[in-house]
Amino acid sequence: MKKERVVVGLSGGVDSSVAAWLLKQQGYDVVGLFMVNWHDTVGTLSGECPWEDDRLFAELVAKRLDIPFRMVDLSEQYRQRVVDYMFAEYEKGRTPNPDVLCNREIKFDVFLKEALKLGADWVATGHYCRVEHRADGTHRLLAGSDGNKDQSYFLCQLSQEQLSRALFPVGDMLKPEVRAIAEEQHLATAKRKDSQGICFVGKVDLPVFLQQKLAAKKGRIIEIAADWEGYRTAEQEAELVAKADLQQLATPYTYEPADGRKVGTHSGAHFYTIGQRHGLGVGGTALPLFVIATDVVRNIVYVGQGHNHPGLLRRALSIRPEEIHWVREDLAQGVDEEPRRYSARIRYRQPLQGATLYRREQGAYLLFDEPQRGITAGQFAAWYDGDELVGSGVIDK
């Protein structure tokens, strides 16, 4: 009987290398496919390995495993679908997540189509998450067994069709186990560091990278005091929660320059994001300064002192109707249906938070049990039922 073919996205990292080894051990016909998605080096920090190094490691692994090795250049699609989107979002004063977009638009779309051309029955990656292909035709996206490495959040925008072809061989393993297998099998990637930074671009100096399209422009940094009169009291907040005034709870505070004092200057408000601490270049404060708001129209960055400044904390967020995505379409929540309880996160590695999802005509609202720090427009909120990631959406505000 003909073996099922799996095309593995060999990235030159240890996780995809071990994924390929595991699949071969399981009896699949394994092919390694390396993606070239980025050629430019503008803004890339020195010491980062270019894609040529990644390809070399991927090829060495393929040779060691005695599997065919192929390469495909998807840089044009990556620029159009991921990088151009990034620039457009930053220009609007929002903070996109290119890794989530990369998985939805590249790895499980363009790359998947390339794999099918090679006769693939399945596509595999080294993500730390799990997928359950059920007899009823649904596909469940589950958190990885290693809580420290769970990457299900990065796949929160995948569809049932995309998941139907997906395998995640290391998803039920711990990272040290993966490293140990790589060592035992003498894989070239065994001791290679995990990649960091923007998916396929690497670790970058973000302002320098963004200045390819977004001009630097000097502006004011305004500090807002923690006792600013515009902040709601605990009693006012509790009243809004009791009434489920979602619109009010999900709306960020807005400021005027007169609400605070100028403490420095910056080179462009669109280079900064909510919760950012480094890169402000302002010292002499009792507590560290954090970005609490940006105004890209007037080119102003607002900051506050301390990790728990009121301007950083919010109980709810909103998602526009067209940005609501259900990984499990059969579990989609209709407009004005009874609110549902989920665990949710608004960034990778954030511990799951208790929350209630409300669906309204104007979109979806996540109301958290506890105030959340640094809710940021353009990022993704993902909600889970137990271990299963069932839906997500781009945070509108």
Side-chain angles (χ1 to χ4, degrees):
M1 194 171 82
K2 184 172 175 279
K3 290 181 179 180
E4 288 189 323
R5 173 165 286 190
V6 184
V7 171
V8 182
L10 279 183
S11 65
V14 67
D15 301 321
S16 63
S17 304
V18 171
W21 180 81
L22 288 166
L23 290 164
K24 190 168 182 192
Q25 293 298 110
Q26 290 162 19
Y28 288 102
D29 172 19
V30 181
V31 176
L33 183 56
F34 178 82
M35 289 176 274
V36 180
N37 282 355
W38 196 246
H39 294 281
D40 297 349
T41 56
V42 176
T44 304
L45 297 179
S46 60
E48 285 297 303
C49 294
W51 67 263
E52 288 97 336
D53 284 359
D54 293 332
R55 182 192 63 185
L56 175 61
F57 275 94
E59 201 165 1
L60 287 170
V61 167
K63 280 180 181 172
R64 176 69 187 165
L65 297 178
D66 193 24
I67 61 173
F69 179 78
R70 304 281 185 273
M71 189 170 81
V72 61
D73 191 327
L74 305 179
S75 54
E76 190 54 41
Q77 296 96 321
Y78 184 79
R79 180 181 289 281
Q80 290 172 359
R81 296 202 195 185
V82 179
V83 177
D84 287 352
Y85 173 87
M86 261 183 72
F87 284 126
E89 286 287 272
Y90 273 107
E91 193 169 21
K92 296 173 195 166
R94 294 159 61 84
T95 305
N97 190 311
D99 292 329
V100 174
L101 264 293
C102 179
N103 285 310
R104 185 184 79 189
E105 300 291 328
I106 304 298
K107 290 179 184 172
F108 292 92
D109 190 325
V110 186
F111 178 84
L112 173 58
K113 288 168 185 166
E114 291 294 329
L116 294 175
K117 290 179 191 174
L118 295 173
D121 297 294
W122 303 93
V123 166
T125 65
H127 282 101
Y128 284 85
C129 60
R130 295 169 292 149
V131 61
E132 181 188 328
H133 302 291
R134 303 207 300 184
D136 64 2
T138 57
H139 310 277
R140 300 176 73 218
L141 176 60
L142 305 169
S145 297
D146 189 336
N148 291 320
K149 292 294 294 180
D150 169 37
Q151 293 174 313
S152 57
Y153 174 83
F154 289 134
L155 303 174
C156 69
Q157 287 276 294
L158 295 195
S159 66
Q160 285 288 293
E161 186 181 356
Q162 289 171 312
L163 281 173
S164 72
R165 297 274 190 176
L167 295 176
F168 304 113
V170 302
D172 56 2
M173 300 179 71
L174 302 179
K175 182 74 177 197
E177 293 175 325
V178 171
R179 289 273 183 203
I181 287 174
E183 291 265 15
E184 287 163 12
Q185 299 306 316
H186 305 291
L187 301 182
T189 52
K191 290 193 167 112
R192 216 174 172 216
K193 286 183 180 176
D194 292 342
S195 61
Q196 292 181 312
I198 299 170
C199 181
F200 290 117
V201 176
K203 207 163 186 181
V204 298
D205 182 330
L206 194 59
V208 173
F209 182 76
L210 293 174
Q211 280 173 39
Q212 293 174 81
K213 292 272 184 78
L214 307 179
K217 185 181 174 186
K218 193 173 179 182
R220 291 172 289 173
I221 298 176
I222 305 288
E223 183 187 345
I224 304 295
D227 60 357
W228 176 60
E229 60 184 13
Y231 291 131
R232 291 189 289 268
T233 64
E235 292 75 18
Q236 290 169 328
E237 190 86 352
E239 191 178 330
L240 290 174
V241 171
K243 292 192 298 186
D245 188 339
L246 303 166
Q247 189 82 32
Q248 185 82 354
L249 288 164
T251 301
Y253 291 108
T254 55
Y255 309 96
E256 294 293 330
D259 294 331
R261 65 188 185 95
K262 180 183 172 185
V263 292
T265 58
H266 61 79
S267 58
H270 40 246
F271 300 143
Y272 294 85
T273 188
I274 308 303
Q276 181 175 336
R277 174 182 171 184
H278 300 291
L280 288 165
V282 179
T285 54
L287 296 170
L289 289 174
F290 293 88
V291 176
I292 59 172
T294 61
D295 182 342
V296 294
V297 175
R298 291 189 285 185
N299 198 32
I300 299 170
V301 173
Y302 293 98
V303 298
Q305 287 190 44
H307 191 270
N308 291 315
H309 188 281
L312 283 173
L313 304 173
R314 192 140 45 96
R315 282 293 293 272
L317 60 83
S318 64
I319 299 166
R320 293 197 301 268
E322 67 274 16
E323 296 287 8
I324 302 167
H325 172 75
W326 291 93
V327 177
R328 284 285 301 279
E329 294 156 3
D330 57 313
L331 298 179
Q333 186 175 334
V335 173
D336 293 329
E337 270 189 23
E338 196 68 25
R340 293 185 194 168
R341 290 288 299 169
Y342 288 109
S343 299
R345 58 168 52 104
I346 57 172
R347 64 181 66 87
Y348 174 53
R349 285 195 176 280
Q350 182 194 26
L352 288 169
Q353 308 287 306
T356 304
L357 184 69
Y358 293 79
R359 185 72 174 84
R360 298 285 185 262
E361 198 70 51
Q362 60 269 39
Y365 294 91
L366 267 177
L367 177 61
F368 291 93
D369 298 349
E370 301 293 334
Q372 297 300 297
R373 183 180 180 279
I375 292 174
T376 307
Q379 290 280 295
F380 289 88
W383 48 93
Y384 295 71
D385 181 3
D387 269 358
E388 183 179 7
L389 198 163
V390 296
S392 68
V394 182
I395 299 170
D396 182 41
K397 57 185 183 179

